[in-house]
Amino acid sequence: MVNGESQQLKCRECGATYPAEPIYVCEKCFGPLEVVYDYEALPRPLRGAIETGPKSMWRYEALLPVHRDREIDLAPGYSPLLHAGRLGRRLGLRELYIKNDSVNPTWSFKDRVVGIAIATAKRFGFEVAACASTGNLANAVAAHAARAGMRACVFIPHDLERGKVLMSGIYRPTIVEVEGNYDQVNRLCAEIAEEHRWAFVNVNLRPYYAEGGKTLGFEVAEQLGWRAPDHVIVPVASGSLLVKIHKGLVELHQTGVIPSVPTKVHGAQAAGCAPVANAFAEGQQQIRPVKPHTIARSLAIGDPADGRYALGVARETGGRILSVTDEEIVEGIQILAEMEGVFTETAGGVTVGVLKRLAEEGVFGPDETVVAYITGMGLKTAEAVEDAVTPPVAIRPTLADFESSVLSLV
Ligand SMILES: *Cc1c(COP(=O)(O)O)cnc(C)c1O
Ligand SMILES: [Zn+2]
């Protein structure tokens, strides 16, 4: 299969172009750089090339910035798209779907972006993989670097959930707990990347890394029978994923694979860290940074790098960006588990909370196709729901105990 391995980066603000190197800001205007593709060079028919590809995100290799290397690939992606009949009936939606992207090598969507970034780091000859992380990214970098035989150093805020720290530690990276919040960790990593030749997946490799998010747009379109949904609900941290899901759908349209993109792109944030939702509600163009305070740690970015672009995509497509409280987040986790059998982390609770709000506000038509992105697995944030689950009923191993204590409960 012919590959779309790109040789160019382009500034999203002024359009200046650069050769494909480990750089991420425009020298002329300090705008962020993005990978550009030569669509003329794509395999034809593109849809056929995709459908015969591997059952992972690498089936979309032609629209990604780097080749798959089977020796280091952990095969992220190709996660289930579930028709959510029970939750849909409760919300008045016949065509509600859950994109369950907690089903990934390290149990979050970050395996997609990191799969691309580590393959790119190898291509550029880096020896150390690194990241600034709210937890899930560190898990993915540690695992993918281990398989690629690279040293890894992951930087996290000091107050992360135990499960996320453990899930990084098992792959034996160096874990650096920084006394500060994510935004401070991120600034430190940008400084280190200036001085040391390390592959910071979401700093100096960010243009490549971010492209992995497109595969969550590609996959949903393919799983719906090659069409774009009417609505998507995407959790927003830096805003990159939201922007790239939309870019993925637009690319499939531009290359003639799907007929149109009617999709309204909605964003979901936690009230305790809602800089993008605030700007949306106030009709602002600029994002005012906030100090995060929420149980949705994986979305706790107070100064989001792609916030302004996420805002633009939501506005241009007719979507909304809303925020929900910590109570609504826990309720969202609970509803999704109880009604659809999917246990998600706090970020997924944010998505379900916003889905519910949008449904209550009458944003969806009853027959419209709505896709909610569930991006991480529940055990990672066990602390958030410990008080919400009913403890087990303890009995002696006798039929009498069963009948007196259990029967009336079930
Ligand atoms: C990182 C992350 C997101 C969103 O990330 P962006 O920075 O907005 O691209 C969503 N859900 C989970 C679980 C994440 O870890
Ligand atoms: Zn520029």
Side-chain angles (χ1 to χ4, degrees), residues 110 129-138 141 153-157 176 178 181-190 199-203 206 209 301:
K110 290 296 195 299
C131 65
S133 173
T134 57
N136 286 324
L137 185 58
V141 167
C153 185
V154 300
F155 295 77
I156 54 176
V176 184
V178 179
N181 61 31
Y182 171 82
D183 298 287
Q184 293 167 305
V185 175
N186 192 43
R187 268 194 295 279
L188 170 64
C189 288
F200 277 90
V201 301
N202 59 336
V203 181
R206 190 170 181 86
Y209 157 97
I301 299 186

Side-chain angles (χ1 to χ4, degrees), residues 11-16 18 26-31:
C11 173
R12 263 196 277 184
E13 292 297 326
C14 76
Y18 298 85
C26 177
E27 285 169 10
K28 301 192 172 68
C29 76
F30 303 107

Side-chain angles (χ1 to χ4, degrees), residues 348-400:
V350 171
T351 301
V352 175
V354 168
L355 165 72
K356 189 162 165 273
R357 283 263 202 94
L358 291 168
E360 285 162 3
E361 288 177 21
V363 169
F364 311 128
D367 290 314
E368 285 190 315
T369 300
V370 179
V371 176
Y373 282 94
I374 298 303
T375 47
M377 192 266 268
L379 282 178
K380 290 192 183 225
T381 61
E383 294 92 335
V385 289
E386 259 159 15
D387 296 335
V389 297
T390 317
V393 189
I395 62 167
R396 283 166 301 185
T398 66
L399 188 61

Side-chain angles (χ1 to χ4, degrees), residues 153-399:
C153 185
V154 300
F155 295 77
I156 54 176
H158 64 95
D159 59 351
L160 283 193
E161 301 92 343
R162 284 184 53 214
K164 283 193 189 149
V165 180
L166 177 81
M167 251 206 86
S168 290
I170 196 67
Y171 307 105
R172 280 207 195 283
T174 302
I175 306 179
V176 184
E177 255 184 19
V178 179
E179 226 179 278
N181 61 31
Y182 171 82
D183 298 287
Q184 293 167 305
V185 175
N186 192 43
R187 268 194 295 279
L188 170 64
C189 288
E191 279 180 54
I192 299 170
E194 287 290 314
E195 300 295 324
H196 300 273
R197 203 180 180 282
W198 283 10
F200 277 90
V201 301
N202 59 336
V203 181
N204 49 333
L205 295 187
R206 190 170 181 86
Y208 309 93
Y209 157 97
E211 289 289 287
K214 293 192 305 188
T215 63
L216 265 174
F218 298 152
E219 243 170 67
V220 160
E222 182 174 2
Q223 288 168 317
L224 288 172
W226 294 114
R227 67 184 174 92
D230 297 305
H231 300 267
V232 292
I233 300 105
V234 185
V236 172
S238 73
S240 173
L241 177 61
L242 182 146
V243 171
K244 293 297 179 171
I245 285 174
H246 183 247
K247 184 183 175 192
L249 294 172
V250 169
E251 261 183 358
L252 288 184
H253 174 56
Q254 285 171 340
T255 53
V257 178
I258 61 173
S260 62
V261 184
T263 316
K264 294 185 168 70
V265 181
H266 307 278
Q269 293 207 294
C273 181
V276 190
N278 293 345
F280 183 86
E282 294 161 8
Q284 299 289 330
Q285 302 298 321
Q286 298 298 327
I287 309 280
R288 221 174 344 100
V290 301
K291 256 216 170 76
H293 187 74
T294 170
I295 57 169
R297 300 268 169 69
S298 46
L299 304 182
I301 299 186
D303 188 6
D306 292 284
R308 213 159 49 79
Y309 299 104
L311 201 57
V313 168
R315 286 202 178 117
E316 282 158 28
T317 62
R320 301 197 196 176
I321 301 185
L322 302 182
S323 65
V324 289
T325 63
D326 283 0
E327 290 74 41
E328 287 174 283
I329 294 170
V330 173
E331 190 200 348
I333 296 174
Q334 188 73 61
I335 293 176
L336 190 66
E338 239 176 274
M339 306 204 71
E340 298 296 345
V342 173
F343 180 25
T344 182
E345 69 148 85
T346 43
V350 171
T351 301
V352 175
V354 168
L355 165 72
K356 189 162 165 273
R357 283 263 202 94
L358 291 168
E360 285 162 3
E361 288 177 21
V363 169
F364 311 128
D367 290 314
E368 285 190 315
T369 300
V370 179
V371 176
Y373 282 94
I374 298 303
T375 47
M377 192 266 268
L379 282 178
K380 290 192 183 225
T381 61
E383 294 92 335
V385 289
E386 259 159 15
D387 296 335
V389 297
T390 317
V393 189
I395 62 167
R396 283 166 301 185
T398 66
L399 188 61

